Each structure stands twice: as C-alpha cells, then as structure tokens.
C-alpha cells in the first residue's frame, strides 16, 4: 500500500513501514496514514520501521503549523490535534508483534519519540539522535519523555531533553538507546531484515506475552502474576514439547 508519507511493504511474515516523506518529515498526512497502515498488517509477525532518505527530520513544522496555530491557547482543541499524533505512536507501541526501528541519518524530535515506542532499535554509523523541542520553546509531548528514561536512564533522558543536543550512533549504543550499530545503511537494513526473520519464527503468543510483561507498569508481584496468567492461558503441552525437541532435550 502506498500513501503520500508512508509505504507498507511485505516480505512473507515481515512487514516494513517506510517513512517516504522528504527527509522523513512527519506532517499531518503521516499521522493520518499510520493507523490504517497498522490496521493493514494482517498476518505479519514482525514490523520494521525505517526511513527513506534518512529516518526522520521530526515534525514537519511548516505543514503542521496551520493545524496547530488555531488551537494554541485552547487546551481542549490543542489536545484534540495532538491526539491524532498520539494515536499513531501509541498504536505502534500497542502492536502485539515485535517492532524493530532501523535508523539511518537523522532521527529528530518526533522521530525519536516514535522509535522510543518500538521494541528494538538498530542504527547505522551515520545515525544522529536529537530531541530539540526545548530549543523551539516547547515540551516534547508524544511519549518520548515518558519512555526514554526507561531506555537510557533518567539522567541521559534529561540530557537529551533539556539540552536539545544531538548524540551520535556510538553514544546511542553506549547509552542503550540502540542495541546495535551497523557500518552502513545497507548493512543496517540487512541486519534488521535478518533479525525480523528470526523473530518471525518464534511462537507469536510467547512474543506477545513477553511484550506485555516488558511494557506493563506494575508492581513487581503484580507483574509476575500477569506473566504467570498469560502462560497459564496460552502455553500448550505440544508447544512446550516441540520447543524441547528443537533444543535437543
């Protein structure tokens, strides 16, 4: 399926959502197009999110200004505008399948908030990450300030958000924002595809249950009970025996 800002491709059980707008700018069309794209995943078992020119230049301020400007000073109207953006990012985070962000080039502002909602993040050596909203006189409000502390720690999240300064791929790996740095974009996309293929072969219910347990903001004991309840409902004797056979046990 092809839209003006995103393209959803498919290779077997792996889907790829590519940001196709110029420099990955996230304008009104992007936020409208993501939810129906996610609804079209069908039987996909893994989703890769990537950019075309580079990952994302962040919010397309020029295209978005006419939408936001009339709502300024009106909390309810402003919340309604931002709700469309939230629906796209929270919809991505809520997918029951693993989501891999493959980042090359710049990943700025809303783009960084977008990848923070993914499960796994890889990048190429040319990647740069920035959350510059404070320099624009605004507060990041698309989930990055809520998710980044859990990914990189509160201190490093504060450094990104309060200074607006970019970090390179090496720092992103050192901080834990990404788990792998590949030498080139081509190597990045190949690695993301190989990782997606590996995940697609794993039991989908186990992956979904693991995602739920990782994302649940519950006290320790309640989190344990949630994981136990999931296994009690979805684990099967046949599945367990097949897994043991696969390990040679």
């Amino acid at each position: 399926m092809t839209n003006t800002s995103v393209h959803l491709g498919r290779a077997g059980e792996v889907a790829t959502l590519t940001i196709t707008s110029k420099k990955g700018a996230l304008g009104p069309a992007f936020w409208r197009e993501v939810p129906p794209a996610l609804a079209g995943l069908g039987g996909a078992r893994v989703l890769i999110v990537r950019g075309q020119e580079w990952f994302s230049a962040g919010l397309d301020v020029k295209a978005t200004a006419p939408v936001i400007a009339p709502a300024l000073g009106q909390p309810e109207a402003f919340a309604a505008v931002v709700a469309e953006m939230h629906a796209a990012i929270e919809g991505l985070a809520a997918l029951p399948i693993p989501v891999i962000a493959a980042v090359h080039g710049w990943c700025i502002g809303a783009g960084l908030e977008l990848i923070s909602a993914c499960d796994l993040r890889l990048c190429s050596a040319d990647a740069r990450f920035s959350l510059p909203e404070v320099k624009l006189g605004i507060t990041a409000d698309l989930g990055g300030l809520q998710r980044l502390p859990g990914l990189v720690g509160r201190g490093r999240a504060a450094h990104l958000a309060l200074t607006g300064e970019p970090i390179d791929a090496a720092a992103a790996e050192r901080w834990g924002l990404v788990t792998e740095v590949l030498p080139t974009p081509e190597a990045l996309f190949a690695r993301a595809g190989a990782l997606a293929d590996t995940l697609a072969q794993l039991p989908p219910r186990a992956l979904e249950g693991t995602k739920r347990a990782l994302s649940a903001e519950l006290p320790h004991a309640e989190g344990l009970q949630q994981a136990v309840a999931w296994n009690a409902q979805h684990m099967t004797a046949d599945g367990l025996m097949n897994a043991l056979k696969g390990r040679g046990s």
Side-chain angles (χ1 to χ4, degrees):
M1 101 184 236
T2 303
N3 293 306
T4 58
S5 291
V6 299
H7 174 263
L8 184 64
R10 189 74 171 267
E13 295 177 314
V14 175
T16 300
L17 185 71
T18 303
I19 303 170
T20 59
S21 51
K22 185 177 180 180
K23 296 183 179 179
L26 308 180
F30 174 83
W31 305 112
R32 286 195 306 268
E33 293 165 6
V34 169
L38 299 182
L41 287 174
R45 295 177 66 169
V46 183
L47 176 64
I48 298 170
V49 181
R50 54 161 289 181
Q52 188 163 274
E53 292 183 58
W54 60 40
F55 188 83
S56 176
L59 190 69
D60 186 336
V61 177
K62 183 177 181 180
T64 305
V67 180
I68 291 181
L72 295 178
Q74 303 178 61
E76 290 186 5
F78 187 82
V81 171
V82 178
E84 188 172 49
M85 303 178 193
H86 287 174
I89 292 182
E90 296 306 317
L92 188 69
L95 288 174
I97 61 175
V99 181
I100 302 169
V103 180
H104 76 295
W106 279 98
C107 180
I108 301 173
L112 180 52
E113 297 191 88
L114 181 70
I115 70 164
S116 72
C118 298
D119 301 300
L120 300 169
R121 286 160 297 279
L122 315 176
C123 75
S124 51
D126 67 337
R128 298 293 183 271
F129 303 84
S130 172
L131 196 67
E133 279 81 350
V134 69
K135 292 184 175 181
L136 304 176
I138 61 178
T139 297
D141 60 4
L142 301 181
L145 298 184
Q146 289 68 46
R147 291 189 170 98
L148 284 169
L151 298 174
V152 302
R154 187 186 182 284
R156 284 168 169 164
H159 181 89
L160 281 168
L162 294 177
T163 68
E165 296 174 354
I167 60 171
D168 62 15
E173 184 179 31
R174 190 168 63 250
W175 288 15
L177 179 60
V178 300
T179 53
E180 294 183 49
V181 177
L182 288 304
T184 64
E186 293 73 21
L188 165 69
F189 301 138
R191 172 59 180 144
L195 178 58
D197 288 340
T198 298
L199 291 173
Q201 301 308 309
L202 296 175
R205 287 294 191 182
L207 290 171
E208 182 180 356
T210 300
K211 279 195 60 165
R212 287 173 177 267
L214 284 169
S215 61
E217 296 181 1
L218 299 172
H220 181 75
E222 290 182 34
L224 285 176
Q225 289 306 308
Q226 182 192 68
V228 170
W230 182 269
N231 278 338
Q233 182 176 358
H234 298 290
M235 185 186 293
T236 65
D238 287 345
L240 185 58
M241 292 305 296
N242 288 335
L244 291 173
K245 288 177 183 177
R247 293 173 56 186
S249 301

